[in-house]
Amino acid sequence: MFDFDLQWLLIGLPVAFALGWIGSRLDLRQWRRSDRAAPKAYFKGLNLLLNEQHDKAIDAFIEAVQADPDTAELHFALGNLFRRRGEFERAVRVHQHLLQRGDLPAAERARAQHALAQDFVKAGLLDRADAAYRALDGTAYELEARLARLSLAERARDWRTAADLATQLEASGTGSYATRIAHHWCELSQQAVDRGDAAAAEEALEQARRVAPQAPRPLLIAARRAQQSGDAGRAYASYAALIAVAPAMLALLADEMATAALAGDRADAARELIQRRHDQQPSIDLLQALRRIDAARPEAAAAGYAAGRARALLQQQPSLSAALEVLDTPEALQDPSALREVREAVSRAARPLRRYRCAACGFEAQQHFWQCPGCLGWDTFPPQRIEEL
């Protein structure tokens, strides 16, 4: 009996080994066939995408998804392609289908949620996009989602939500958002002014100052409101505080500051401040503000100051604006060399306009071409120069 069992054992072991080997080979071949079939459609779609054959690429990806519906990467590729093509509804359906799968890992689920939020943004469904981004709290996309929500809140002019989100982002250590938050409070202040709530407007403006003491916009709003209320002294003080933290802003606000200075008996202080800035960085706006302030001086002195500054600005910055300033100052034209300087400035400014521009691609050239060197189109250059069109 023992001999009989041993014989069967000796026969059965090789047979079991052979059957196992055959079974593993069959399973391996099947796996290889399926593995080759799925990437084939995928790479076909990728190749079509690189060749900018988007419609055919979509068909290839759809075929790949149908062949292997459990592959998340194919769904992501197809959904992103739909979004790029502007087919937002189809992109939404693809990503929502992914989210409905119960076997999707948490990381892939967050990725699909993020892609869905991007679909809603591109489709202009901002409320649904905000809700989709909210669902990403606590995931790897939380920071990116908050930044996107901040942008959405600013687009919707929901300034209080924007300020809250920017405050959260700053608290999370992602950087300083103080100036941006100050802009949000300035917008809230303006909204309060529009609805006639002066107390809320002042409170919001004060909040903007506390958040970013060096931000120029709250100081500018305070200066303009003081000037509108007739408090020229407070307006000038606010302008001076603004220029102290942002000197480059003086060129933009020189005329307003001159008005406040003249009304508040601070003309000498304003003139010194503007002149110092003009010496450092000449500007037509600063020059015009100085002319306004000097208009209160004796006429001869004012005319002499204006003529000298206009000539100096034209020599430093031979621009059309400086040339026009000289032409508007008759005293400067008494010197024959001034007219030559004006002519040279006008000639320099007109030089870029003495060109021909292709109507098809915008290529510009100093001479006329029958065939555009840029797009190789024929008869695309109008016979007139840019300044004559």
Side-chain angles (χ1 to χ4, degrees), residues 76-96:
F76 283 121
L78 185 59
N80 293 338
L81 185 55
F82 279 143
R83 189 194 310 133
R84 289 183 57 188
R85 290 280 293 168
E87 300 180 48
F88 306 123
E89 186 175 347
R90 299 179 74 181
V92 166
R93 287 204 303 269
V94 169
H95 293 130
Q96 284 180 336

Side-chain angles (χ1 to χ4, degrees), residues 253-276:
L253 307 171
D255 185 67
E256 297 180 38
M257 190 172 189
T259 300
L262 292 172
D265 196 22
R266 301 296 302 274
D268 290 340
R271 184 180 183 279
E272 180 181 355
L273 180 63
I274 296 174
Q275 181 66 61
R276 186 165 60 249

